[in-house]
Amino acid sequence: MKQRLVLILLISLLTAACGTVSPPSTATLLPFTPAATPSSCTPLTADPTPGPDDPSLFPPITENDHSRGPSNAAVTILAYTDYQDLYSAVFWDSVNRLLSEHPNDVRVVNRNLPLLETKDKSALAAQAVEAADEQGKYWEMHDLLYAEQPNWINLSVEDFTQWITAQAAGLEMNVEQFTSDLTREDIVAKVRQAWEDGLKIGLPGTPIVLINEQIYTGPRDFNSLNDIVLLILFGKRQFTTCPPFIIQPNRQYIATLHTEKGDVIIELYADKTPITVNSFVFLARSGWYDNITFHRVIPDLFAQTGDPSGTGKGHPGYFIITEILPSLTFNQPGRVAMVNSGPNTSGSQFFITYAPAPQFDGRYTIFGQVLNGMEVLESLTPRDPQFGTPAPPGDQLLSVTIEEK
């Protein structure tokens, strides 16, 4: 049977804001298949995670694997890593932070992949972890090797042997047993077999990362991996169908954004952009906007929110059409518009302008106007998440209430 690798890209860097930077946009969590019939709304179907009968080059996780985190975690990260590899050390630093942030939702499984042909101490380091495992100290030795990697990576094999033996004593292990196990025939064979298994699969190097059984080739820094975890957890909240039509376009709808800085009152244009307003009202009444973050705030440009994952990449499980009216332009502050990543890809995220923004005309659905509360929006904490740069905590959108008149 022909084997295949299921490739997905779970992370897309969110493009930045407007003016001297890019306009608002979103990215989807998973590859999607649009509904067959075009309409004002398109439900999105995520590609499923491979089932147990799908062929895979990677052996299934068993009780013989070393893992951290609950077995029923929503996110399982399987990693092939090498203790002498700098990238593996950076990866494990990120993973340990993930485990700390999401102790109930993340499980991590480690498989040693010693790079015997290029690293002089890879085998011995892997043997040290296996020897430590004989005394119930697998993860202690694992963590120590990565944490102290700068102190031993350039040692000779002989000096490293002395160094690792001293570390075993520091971990309160039986040093005599550890020294014997370090070069024990079956442990040496086990480490070499791990390398040979990697060659058979065709693994190009380390770290090799699978997330929920699918190969992940994106950035491995903490923020990127954390975004993936948040998006996977967020996926449980997404809708599987388009919203029912619940508004009356001839009625007036007022939305109040209750933020931690105060209230913002918005008139919704139900008569001009009914599809967008209907979706917004549906999401608001469903609690979609409760306790989420203004994840991007660009002073003098706009404030953006509407993504419960807080990553700027989440959507409600469907896309709605872009409703462009020539009479509605970004000619004044307080315009409320739907974010999109192209025509007819509006979801739940929206932005509110601080100033006229004619560069957005004809690109984004304007579905409302701020009546009161611009000073609240202007008091929001500036925030523009960029790859590799931590952003300050965002201000909270506590809830959205809808009044129909």
Side-chain angles (χ1 to χ4, degrees), residues 293-310:
T293 304
F294 282 90
H295 60 267
R296 179 191 273 164
V297 177
I298 312 298
D300 301 321
L301 294 175
F302 62 75
Q304 183 174 335
T305 186
D307 174 12
S309 78

Side-chain angles (χ1 to χ4, degrees), residues 245 247-253 269-272 274:
F245 201 81
I247 69 164
Q248 299 182 52
N250 61 343
R251 303 291 295 272
Q252 183 182 25
Y253 291 85
Y269 296 149
D271 58 333
K272 299 179 177 67

Side-chain angles (χ1 to χ4, degrees), residues 51-258:
D53 296 327
D54 288 336
S56 174
L57 294 176
F58 301 93
I61 297 170
T62 70
E63 60 183 11
N64 294 324
D65 282 299
H66 295 281
S67 67
R68 280 172 162 167
S71 59
N72 63 344
V75 181
T76 293
I77 300 174
L78 170 61
Y80 289 80
T81 54
D82 173 78
Y83 292 106
Q84 198 175 345
D85 174 42
L86 297 174
Y87 297 106
S88 293
V90 172
F91 168 77
W92 273 104
D93 180 66
S94 299
V95 165
N96 287 335
R97 289 183 62 189
L98 276 184
L99 290 169
S100 176
E101 292 283 337
H102 307 281
N104 299 319
D105 298 312
V106 174
R107 174 177 64 153
V108 180
V109 180
N110 181 59
R111 288 178 179 168
N112 292 330
L113 181 61
L115 305 177
L116 303 189
E117 293 183 338
T118 58
K119 307 290 186 183
D120 63 338
K121 293 178 288 293
S122 287
L124 198 56
Q127 289 165 212
V129 175
E130 296 297 338
D133 188 37
E134 295 292 305
Q135 300 186 48
K137 298 282 188 176
Y138 179 93
W139 286 109
E140 289 84 348
M141 183 62 77
H142 168 95
D143 290 344
L144 184 147
L145 282 168
Y146 281 125
E148 299 293 328
Q149 191 188 73
N151 295 325
W152 64 265
I153 194 170
N154 293 319
L155 295 177
S156 66
V157 173
E158 293 75 14
D159 288 345
F160 175 70
T161 302
Q162 294 181 11
W163 182 87
I164 199 63
T165 302
Q167 304 311 308
L171 292 175
E172 300 181 350
M173 296 170 58
N174 182 316
V175 175
E176 183 177 351
Q177 179 187 340
F178 175 81
T179 303
S180 175
D181 291 340
L182 184 62
T183 54
R184 210 174 72 197
E185 184 177 348
D186 62 317
I187 287 181
V188 172
K190 182 178 182 179
V191 169
R192 184 167 187 83
Q193 186 63 52
W195 174 66
E196 292 177 353
D197 289 345
L199 290 180
K200 291 177 183 177
I201 295 175
L203 300 183
T206 55
I208 301 297
V209 180
L210 284 79
I211 300 178
N212 285 357
E213 301 182 60
Q214 301 195 26
I215 293 176
Y216 172 68
T217 59
R220 300 183 181 96
D221 63 289
F222 169 76
N223 289 332
S224 297
L225 293 173
N226 190 54
D227 277 358
I228 292 173
V229 171
L230 292 173
L231 285 166
I232 291 174
L233 297 176
F234 159 77
K236 297 178 180 180
R237 294 189 55 184
Q238 290 175 309
F239 299 94
T240 57
T241 60
C242 291
F245 201 81
I246 58 175
I247 69 164
Q248 299 182 52
N250 61 343
R251 303 291 295 272
Q252 183 182 25
Y253 291 85
I254 302 294
T256 301
L257 311 186
H258 302 285

